[in-house]
Amino acid sequence: MTVIDYETTRRSPAPPRVADEFVFQLRTHSARRPPLPIRPLTGREVAVAVRYALDEGQELPLDLSAMKRIVIDPTERTARVQPGVTPAELEQAAFYWGLAPLADRHGLVLANLIAAHVVLPDGELVEADAELLREIRTGRALGLVVDATYRLHAAAELQR
């Protein structure tokens, strides 16, 4: 596995560090009882939140719904999506390029998973190797998928 060090999308005077405002958010949200949900925007922020919770010995609720980035590569026919993206949003983005994320003929979305970045239980952010991808597909992986890359198919092929 290759460890990925994402830069944050939040503004910080010292990239690639996570912005001070995010660390402040972690501290203030976790100080409340019950703690308020943390809304990270990047995989790096998820990793920082997991490590912070481990270091502090407390549970932190994570809300990944704000992680809604979709990157379509029409040439390679791939889509890289974050966990907050809904299937409808992915389909809409893919159809814009004449592509589709799934069909009976090409299998389910998980069968078309070709890459992923995962935050492991110890807070390490990694690129999934073949074994971890297999575990993700079967639902036996332990970690948070912070983005996934799927193979797309030409929408015209799906109508046949």
Side-chain angles (χ1 to χ4, degrees):
M1 286 186 261
T2 305
V3 176
I4 304 302
D5 190 20
Y6 281 115
E7 289 190 25
T8 178
T9 58
R10 299 176 195 266
R11 298 289 177 227
S12 173
R17 285 188 25 220
V18 173
D20 293 336
E21 65 201 53
F22 183 70
V23 174
F24 177 76
Q25 180 186 6
L26 281 172
R27 288 187 181 128
T28 57
H29 282 52
S30 64
R32 298 206 177 183
R33 295 291 174 247
L36 294 174
I38 304 298
R39 296 189 74 183
L41 298 177
T42 67
R44 176 135 167 85
E45 289 180 355
V46 172
V48 168
V50 169
R51 276 189 243 122
Y52 179 85
L54 287 171
D55 291 346
E56 297 296 317
Q58 60 182 316
E59 294 180 9
L60 275 180
L62 289 177
D63 177 1
L64 304 183
S65 64
M67 296 178 69
K68 297 187 88 49
R69 187 165 186 226
I70 304 172
V71 178
I72 303 287
D73 184 339
T75 307
E76 295 292 322
R77 290 186 176 183
T78 61
R80 184 174 175 186
V81 299
Q82 289 185 317
V85 174
T86 66
E89 291 167 334
L90 176 57
E91 283 184 8
Q92 182 179 11
F95 283 143
Y96 177 82
W97 295 100
L99 301 169
L102 65 116
D104 291 339
R105 192 170 158 202
H106 297 287
L108 299 174
V109 172
L110 277 179
N112 291 295
L113 178 68
I114 56 176
H117 294 112
V118 180
V119 175
L120 300 176
D122 65 357
E124 183 179 17
L125 180 61
V126 299
E127 182 174 349
D129 59 11
E131 182 180 341
L132 185 53
L133 282 174
R134 186 171 40 257
E135 296 296 316
I136 292 169
R137 286 185 194 108
T138 60
R140 296 185 303 206
L142 188 57
L144 296 169
V145 176
V146 293
D147 70 54
T149 303
Y150 298 99
R151 184 178 311 105
L152 299 175
H153 306 279
E157 293 176 7
L158 305 179
Q159 296 175 350
R160 292 184 196 160

